[in-house]
Amino acid sequence: MKSVGKIILRLRMLLIAAILLLQVYFFVQIWWWVDHNPSSTSFMRQRLSELCETVPEAQLQFKWVPYARISNNLKRAIIAAEDANFSEHDGVDWNALQKAYEKNEKKGKVVRGGSTITQQLAKNLFLSGQRSYLRKGQELIITYMLEFWMDKERIFEIYLNVAEWGNGVFGAEAAAQHYYKTSAANLGASQAARLAVMLPRPRFYDKNRGSAYLLQRTGLILRRMGSAELP
C-alpha cells in the first residue's frame, strides 16, 4: 500500500510540475511577442486543421499589418462592440462578467459572453474553443500575463491581426480584403461597424451577410463608435 501511495504522490508532483512548466512557457512566449509578431495562433491552427479535413490544400487568409495601418474606425467599432472599458480594466471586466452571468441565468442559456479583448486574445493565442471551468481558469492566467508584459496598444494590435472574421479569414487586413476588396487602413465607419458586429459569430455571418440582426446591430455600433476610447 505504501508503494502505491508513493506512486500516486509522484504522479501528482509530476502533474503539478507539468502545469507549472506550461505556465512558464506561456509567460516566456508572451514576453517574446512584446516585440515579435505571432505568425499563427492555436485557434488558427485548429481552424486550418478542420478546413484541411475537407480541402487538403486549404490555406488561411491572413496578413499581418502594423497598428498604424489599421483604420481607427475599426478600432473604435470593436471597442464599442466588444469591450467598452478596454482602456481602463486590468484585463478582466468583472462588472461585465457579472452582468453577462445574470443575463444568461435569466435567459436560461448563454446569450452574452462578457469576455474582454484581452481574454479573447488569450484564448485565441493558446487555447481551444471548448468551454470548461479549467479552460476558463487558464484563460484568466494568460490574460493577466498579457497585461503584465504588454501595453494596451500592443494587446489590441495583436488581437486585430489574429481575430477570426470568417471561414478561414483571420485579421483585419484579410477581413477588409475578403468583404470589401480594400485594405484595413481604408475601412469606412459603416464597414468597420459591420466587421465588429461579426466577431462573435464570424463564420455564420460570412454565410449570412444579409442577416437582419447584423444590420440592426451595425447601426447601434455606428452610434456608439464616437465615444469609444482608443488605447
Side-chain angles (χ1 to χ4, degrees):
M1 292 296 291
K2 288 184 178 180
S3 61
V4 173
K6 286 181 179 180
I7 292 173
I8 293 174
L9 178 60
R10 286 176 182 174
L11 288 174
R12 287 177 177 173
M13 292 177 66
L14 285 172
L15 178 60
I16 292 171
I19 292 171
L20 290 175
L21 283 173
L22 182 62
Q23 306 315 307
V24 171
Y25 164 74
F26 290 151
F27 194 72
V28 173
Q29 181 67 81
I30 291 168
W31 165 74
W32 176 256
W33 282 334
V34 170
D35 50 17
H36 295 78
N37 299 328
S39 58
S40 68
T41 68
S42 175
F43 194 67
M44 290 168 69
R45 292 187 291 273
Q46 178 185 331
R47 287 293 301 131
L48 180 58
S49 177
E50 292 170 358
L51 289 171
C52 286
E53 289 178 3
T54 53
V55 184
E57 66 276 11
Q59 296 290 325
L60 299 181
Q61 297 177 54
F62 168 69
K63 182 181 179 181
W64 185 280
V65 288
Y67 189 77
R69 286 173 51 194
I70 299 175
S71 168
N72 281 346
N73 287 321
L74 184 61
K75 296 169 188 172
R76 294 185 187 281
I78 290 174
I79 288 175
E82 295 288 297
D83 190 358
N85 299 317
F86 175 63
S87 296
E88 302 171 7
H89 60 63
D90 60 356
V92 180
D93 190 337
W94 295 104
N95 289 331
L97 281 176
Q98 179 63 30
K99 290 178 181 178
Y101 173 78
E102 292 172 355
K103 187 168 185 177
N104 294 337
E105 284 290 300
K106 185 176 180 180
K107 295 289 186 178
K109 60 181 179 179
V110 177
V111 295
R112 183 174 177 179
S115 293
T116 64
I117 286 171
T118 314
Q119 286 176 270
Q120 292 177 46
L121 178 59
K123 179 184 70 175
N124 289 346
L125 286 173
F126 294 110
L127 307 174
S128 71
Q130 296 177 345
R131 294 183 178 184
S132 70
Y133 289 114
L134 185 62
R135 198 226 69 184
K136 195 67 177 179
Q138 181 64 82
E139 177 190 300
L140 290 174
I141 293 171
I142 297 171
T143 293
Y144 284 116
M145 288 181 185
L146 286 165
E147 293 280 342
F148 174 82
W149 278 119
M150 300 178 183
D151 59 28
K152 291 288 187 177
E153 184 174 306
R154 179 57 174 166
I155 290 171
F156 201 22
E157 179 183 33
I158 297 176
Y159 175 87
L160 288 163
N161 275 285
V162 303
E164 185 184 29
W165 254 298
N167 193 28
V169 181
F170 285 86
E173 184 69 17
Q177 292 288 345
H178 182 69
Y179 292 104
Y180 299 113
K181 308 301 180 186
T182 189
S183 67
N186 292 325
L187 287 168
S190 181
Q191 294 171 329
R194 189 179 181 89
L195 287 177
V197 174
M198 295 177 70
L199 281 169
R201 302 178 68 192
R203 279 170 277 165
F204 173 82
Y205 290 125
D206 193 358
K207 295 179 180 178
N208 298 274
R209 302 186 189 187
S211 163
Y213 174 81
L214 183 59
L215 295 173
Q216 180 184 13
R217 179 74 174 168
T218 295
L220 176 63
I221 297 306
L222 268 171
R223 294 190 292 273
R224 291 180 177 175
M225 284 168 57
S227 59
E229 181 182 349
L230 296 182

